[in-house]
Amino acid sequence: MKILIVEDEKILRDSLAEGLRLKGYAVDLAVDGEDAGEKVFCETYDLIILDLNLPKVDGFTVLENFRKENLDVPVLILSARDGIDDKVKGLDLGANDYLTKPFHFAEFEARVRSLLRRKTVVENAILSCGPLCFDTVTREVTAAGSPISLTLKESALLEYLLLHKGRVIKLEELIEHVWDIHADAFSNSVRVHMSSLRRKLKAGMGYDPITNRIGEGYVIREDDVV
Ligand code: CA
């Protein structure tokens, strides 16, 4: 899952980014409204965290511009403005949620999870595939109750596949949603993480639930029949 944080206060921006990265999200940063506008149109995000008081172009205008372009990515507004008018205006412009500063990281993260789930219409915090369970809150992965230890990148790949269970996901799509702008996005690196993930799943589950369709992409399926 790839998230864009638009926030001009460096300390807050960096701490939110660090917190989200530790949870396995790919995170890009924008320091003002202009920077945000450019990134939003060049990259594919699963969620945008948007501050309102921004240099160059304010948050309301950023939001208005990309809703005009019909980008349906969920937006969580973060703002010190706690007036009801700002909340109403933000929601009317198409924001999906609103968090007033200061806030606790735990609440912020819960809202991030909820918005990402809403986007993919998954009601449950637990994603599953056969005996495999992925708890999106604790990030724990188990097979028939036994834990499988995954790296951040491996669990991010697995989460994306599980959210789109049964659909073949192109390598480019995985790179877009699981890797951030600065990461080594060469397809080889994705393949390395993917093969290590598949090895661990096979060891834990007794079979590899992920299939690589040559020239098409990867798919995770309930059964082990290819
Ligand atoms: Ca600000």
Side-chain angles (χ1 to χ4, degrees), residues 6-9 12 31 51-55 78-80 101:
V6 187
E7 170 63 69
D8 59 318
E9 290 161 50
L12 179 60
V31 299
D51 181 30
L52 288 181
N53 292 311
L54 290 167
L78 293 187
S79 180
K101 297 174 191 172

Side-chain angles (χ1 to χ4, degrees), residues 49-68:
I49 314 288
L50 182 65
D51 181 30
L52 288 181
N53 292 311
L54 290 167
K56 296 188 184 172
V57 181
D58 74 86
F60 285 131
T61 308
V62 172
L63 179 59
E64 204 172 0
N65 286 343
F66 66 74
R67 284 299 184 238
K68 259 188 225 154

Side-chain angles (χ1 to χ4, degrees), residues 4 6 23 31 40 47 52 61 69 92 105 117 134-135 142 177 182 184 193 204-206 217-220:
L4 176 67
V6 187
K23 296 289 177 177
V31 299
V40 161
L47 175 66
L52 288 181
T61 308
E69 298 295 320
D92 279 347
F105 186 79
R117 278 205 302 275
F134 186 113
D135 185 326
T142 55
H177 290 270
H182 303 290
D184 169 19
H193 290 284
M205 300 171 70
Y218 295 91
V219 59
I220 192 160

